[in-house]
Amino acid sequence: MGGQRKLSVYQFTVLTIMFSLGSTLLVISSGMADELEQDAWLGAALGTLGGLVLVWLYTALAGRFPDKTLTELSTHLLGRTAGRVFMLAYFFFNFYSAAALTWYVGNFLTTYLFTETPRPVLMILYVAVMLYGTHLGLGALARSAETSFMIFMSGLVVVMLSLLPEARTANLMPVLESGPGPLARASLTFASFAYFPWISLLMIYPKHVSRPEACGKALYTAVLSSGAILTAVTALTVMVLGPDRTSIELYPTYSLTMKINIGHFFERIEALLVLLWLLAIFYQVVLCYYAAVSGLAHMIRVDEYRSLNLSAGLCLVPFALLIYPNVGYEQAWDFKVWPLFSLTFALWPAVLLIVATVRGRRTKRHAKNGR
């Protein structure tokens, strides 16, 4: 973010892990179980491979252009007109992602906690906090993430260990009953939630990271760490709730914590999971929204993205209510349309890498002919 110091490799790793967990932590188990039943955890594990492929792609591009954001690179390689077309589509993708995540927060809170409160009110309050975080800049966000990450991981470990007495490994049997087709579809869905939105992070990496050459290992660490956490959570959800109930729950991970009961003393800790989820999704929303407004600022040639922060933020809640009129529509979009929609943007760096390679070869050929 403009005017802020660059992120350290550790800060970028933490932000990437939190970004991956975000919305995925609470909702992905349901879609996995609906497609694969007891093999839901296997779909999450294989979906992690998609994240590894994207890391290879993104680091290859960042290695060639370490001083450019994704929008700057698109203009540099494709020209002003084609670059602006991409920037407009990229703005829509990130703004849509931020609006969808805001809708998740509002829908979850009104469903389970604040049932008498209008959903738009909660969404407005959450957006206000998000806009303040965006205004503070990437440096402040990264420093807060360093502290929040330790709290997040400690709380998640407590929740998972507390659920082990309720886990039944029989709910995971038999293995590989679903077949390769459903497994491939579920893996794509998992990757579309956890890793395809990483395209938003290319407004930060590599330009705003202090040592971009060291971020390759950090990104692989982020993929493997988030993949292991999400696979474990999915497996635990199926073991505790069973595949049938997991598939019909809107937020199965939240329902999971209701099962915690140790000695009739340590129980009813759902609020802990809510805190953890709101913490993780906050960083995801802020980073998606930052990618949207900073990309828009570059497109319309505004030097400071903060001048667009409030005006774009005022449109976020109305847009969120427009794109998801009800829960049924949201479920259909997320598991039928979103995987392919997000894939088209996730693979955009591959297009840029091909263009850069072709242009590089042409430049070398012309230079050789000139000699």
Side-chain angles (χ1 to χ4, degrees), residues 67-325:
D67 59 342
K68 294 185 183 297
T69 64
L70 184 62
T71 55
E72 292 171 348
L73 183 55
S74 298
T75 305
H76 173 72
L77 292 176
L78 302 178
R80 182 176 299 178
T81 302
R84 284 178 178 273
V85 171
F86 166 74
M87 284 190 285
L88 183 60
Y90 186 65
F91 165 76
F92 175 78
F93 175 81
N94 287 294
F95 194 78
Y96 184 99
S97 299
L101 294 170
T102 302
W103 188 93
Y104 289 154
V105 172
N107 184 65
F108 174 81
L109 293 177
T110 53
T111 301
Y112 290 102
L113 299 178
F114 305 102
T115 56
E116 300 298 324
T117 305
R119 184 185 302 165
V121 172
L122 296 174
M123 294 168 65
I124 290 171
L125 292 175
Y126 197 78
V127 165
V129 177
M130 183 271 293
L131 292 179
Y132 182 66
T134 307
H135 176 78
L136 290 179
L138 188 57
L141 187 71
R143 290 191 294 272
S144 70
E146 287 186 274
T147 303
S148 302
F149 184 68
M150 299 305 299
I151 298 173
F152 177 86
M153 291 305 300
S154 300
L156 189 61
V157 169
V158 169
V159 170
M160 295 182 69
L161 291 178
S162 301
L163 285 165
L164 290 180
E166 302 293 330
R168 300 292 180 266
T169 55
N171 287 334
L172 298 179
M173 302 297 173
V175 180
L176 286 175
E177 187 182 44
S178 303
L183 188 59
R185 288 193 299 270
S187 299
L188 177 66
T189 299
F190 177 84
S192 72
F193 275 82
Y195 303 120
F196 291 173
W198 276 21
I199 190 71
S200 302
L201 298 177
L202 294 187
M203 291 302 293
I204 300 171
Y205 168 74
K207 184 176 181 178
H208 299 298
V209 181
S210 59
R211 292 190 300 122
E213 70 282 356
C215 278
K217 185 181 295 185
L219 287 172
Y220 282 114
T221 300
V223 168
L224 295 175
S225 299
S226 59
I229 292 171
L230 292 169
T231 300
V233 169
T234 302
L236 193 59
T237 304
V238 174
M239 284 192 289
V240 174
L241 299 180
D244 293 335
R245 183 177 173 186
T246 301
S247 65
I248 63 175
E249 289 281 354
L250 187 59
Y251 302 106
T253 312
Y254 178 78
S255 301
L256 192 65
T257 55
M258 296 181 181
K259 294 286 186 178
I260 296 177
N261 187 345
I262 300 178
H264 298 287
F265 173 74
F266 189 71
E267 57 182 346
R268 304 297 298 178
I269 62 168
E270 296 92 325
L272 176 60
L273 183 70
V274 174
L275 174 63
L276 298 179
W277 181 66
L278 291 177
L279 199 59
I281 202 171
F282 170 77
Y283 293 102
Q284 188 178 12
V285 175
V286 171
L287 291 174
C288 285
Y289 183 72
Y290 165 71
V293 293
S294 60
L296 180 63
H298 180 242
M299 183 175 67
I300 63 177
R301 299 183 180 183
V302 173
D303 293 333
E304 179 55 68
Y305 78 91
R306 289 184 178 89
S307 61
L308 304 175
N309 188 30
L310 181 59
S311 56
L314 292 175
C315 302
L316 203 59
V317 172
F319 187 64
L321 296 173
L322 176 66
I323 60 175
Y324 289 153

